[in-house]
Amino acid sequence: MARNTHFMFGAGASAYSQELGPCPPLGDGLFDELCKVGPTWDALPEEDKRRFRSTAGGFEKAMELVRDKHDQNMKRMLTEIGLYFSSFRLFKDNVYLKFVECILKHIKNKEDNIYLSTLNYDYLLNLAIEIHWDIYFVPQLHGSPLYAPQTNLHDVDLFGAKVHLESRVQGILPGDAYEYWNKQLTINGVAPVIALYAPSKPVLYSPSFIQKLQLAWAEGLVACDRIFLIGLRCSSHDIHLWQPIARAPGRVIFVNPSHRDCEEFSRWASRERSTKQNQIITKPFSEFVRLLKLNRIGDAIVDV
């Protein structure tokens, strides 16, 4: 009988997924990249810039503080984030391509029922899947430049970081996303449906859409035999993610080359999943895919 296997991706997967082209940065490097392309980010006061560059809490903690100070700029800041993450393209050496080729073989051989999700704003995984599958929706649990509020409202600066705007969501094709968000900046239109990169990941535009994605994802974990967490950090304050993972009855395998991140996961697992199977693979995404292709994942697994 085929296993139910879920692969969930975080920033550590995309950040090192290709060498021939640029990759999305990890959180610590995101602010400076946004300043290069986003005038609203670059115009922040020096005091706020120092907060973003600080190692004490990094981007997430700074975003929490800046959210209240620059409420009127949140829409443009989010749109500039959408524009930035829409700029990444898939190159032929991308690890996501190799990963998709590998899981297709597992599906063909009826070894696994495969489920996918990602926390990333980029859509490199989606682009890799498009090459091999005609239709496959990858839920982006913290939103995406591919999700746009379906509203005719413009000049909606009153909808800042303290007010949520509910609306239907329309999908944007990957090839159209950069142009779409560039236009929204020009006409002062809407912002993408993405979570603020801050603790608890609040969503300003169409939050119920993201909540439904997260609920469906959490319900799906219950039926999974194996859950691979690839390139994630164990940010236990994000309870919308880590509570469902803690409750999942299946085996959780944490894939991350950082010993610090693996130790953090190990401590969390000993508290929250002490009676369940928890394992670690201290390998980068590329090496994990190589082992997956060779059916040698067991060689790298360490029990927690």
Side-chain angles (χ1 to χ4, degrees):
M1 182 182 294
R3 297 167 297 190
N4 291 327
T5 299
H6 191 107
F7 295 93
M8 183 177 183
F9 296 92
S14 289
Y16 304 105
S17 61
Q18 57 191 16
E19 295 181 1
L20 295 178
C23 295
L26 294 174
D28 292 345
L30 178 58
F31 177 71
D32 285 325
E33 294 302 311
L34 289 174
C35 286
K36 293 175 185 177
V37 299
T40 315
W41 287 91
D42 194 41
L44 288 173
E46 287 302 318
E47 178 187 4
D48 294 328
K49 289 183 176 181
R50 283 194 294 272
R51 286 198 179 101
F52 277 103
R53 294 179 177 123
S54 169
T55 56
F59 195 105
E60 288 195 54
K61 193 65 177 176
M63 190 75 249
E64 191 173 38
L65 297 172
V66 169
R67 173 188 180 185
D68 293 327
K69 286 180 61 179
H70 303 284
D71 181 65
Q72 73 282 2
N73 292 330
M74 275 294 105
K75 180 164 67 71
R76 292 193 68 84
M77 293 173 79
L78 282 173
T79 308
E80 288 173 3
I81 289 176
L83 187 69
Y84 172 68
F85 281 99
S86 299
S87 68
F88 291 99
R89 296 292 177 263
L90 197 72
F91 286 74
K92 64 182 181 180
D93 68 328
N94 194 283
V95 181
Y96 283 120
L97 284 170
K98 300 170 186 176
F99 168 76
V100 172
E101 291 168 1
C102 184
I103 62 172
L104 280 174
K105 292 179 181 178
H106 282 250
I107 294 171
K108 185 177 179 180
N109 295 335
K110 299 182 179 180
E111 298 171 7
D112 291 272
N113 299 315
I114 301 294
Y115 303 90
L116 305 174
S117 63
T118 178
L119 303 180
N120 299 329
Y121 299 143
D122 70 79
Y123 42 87
L124 293 174
L125 173 59
N126 310 56
L127 291 171
I129 287 173
E130 274 191 352
I131 294 174
H132 296 283
W133 281 323
D134 291 333
I135 299 175
Y136 189 99
F137 176 71
V138 180
Q140 295 186 251
L141 302 179
H142 286 158
S144 169
L146 303 180
Y147 308 155
Q150 195 172 19
T151 174
N152 293 322
L153 288 174
H154 293 280
D155 298 314
V156 288
D157 285 324
L158 70 158
F159 295 107
K162 299 186 182 71
V163 180
H164 293 176
L165 171 65
E166 277 292 3
S167 121
R168 294 174 65 89
V169 173
Q170 61 179 337
I172 307 297
L173 292 173
D176 298 336
Y178 187 87
E179 183 179 348
Y180 181 88
W181 295 116
N182 195 35
K183 180 181 179 181
Q184 294 305 309
L185 281 173
T186 302
I187 65 174
N188 197 24
V190 296
V193 181
I194 56 175
L196 291 180
Y197 188 31
S200 79
K201 309 301 183 293
V203 181
L204 307 185
Y205 281 73
S206 304
S208 64
F209 173 77
I210 298 300
Q211 289 166 2
K212 288 176 183 176
L213 288 183
Q214 293 174 357
L215 179 61
W217 162 80
E219 290 175 345
L221 288 188
V222 176
C224 288
D225 303 296
R226 300 188 303 172
I227 303 165
F228 289 94
L229 308 177
I230 304 167
L232 274 69
R233 286 198 64 187
C234 188
S235 302
S236 55
H237 57 261
D238 287 337
I239 58 174
H240 61 287
L241 300 175
W242 291 97
Q243 276 189 357
I245 294 170
R247 294 170 182 158
R251 183 159 50 117
V252 171
I253 304 103
F254 187 78
V255 183
N256 193 312
S258 165
H259 289 281
R260 181 194 65 181
D261 291 343
C262 288
E263 288 172 1
E264 192 173 35
F265 171 78
S266 180
R267 289 192 296 270
W268 172 85
S270 66
R271 294 192 313 269
E272 305 295 336
R273 288 180 51 90
S274 60
T275 61
K276 301 169 185 175
Q277 278 191 294
N278 310 292
Q279 297 173 322
I280 286 174
I281 298 177
T282 314
K283 301 288 184 184
F285 181 28
S286 57
E287 179 63 12
F288 169 76
V289 171
R290 188 186 73 82
L291 292 171
L292 188 65
K293 184 177 181 180
L294 296 173
N295 281 318
R296 292 180 58 184
I297 288 296
D299 294 354
I301 282 180
V302 176
D303 290 320
V304 174

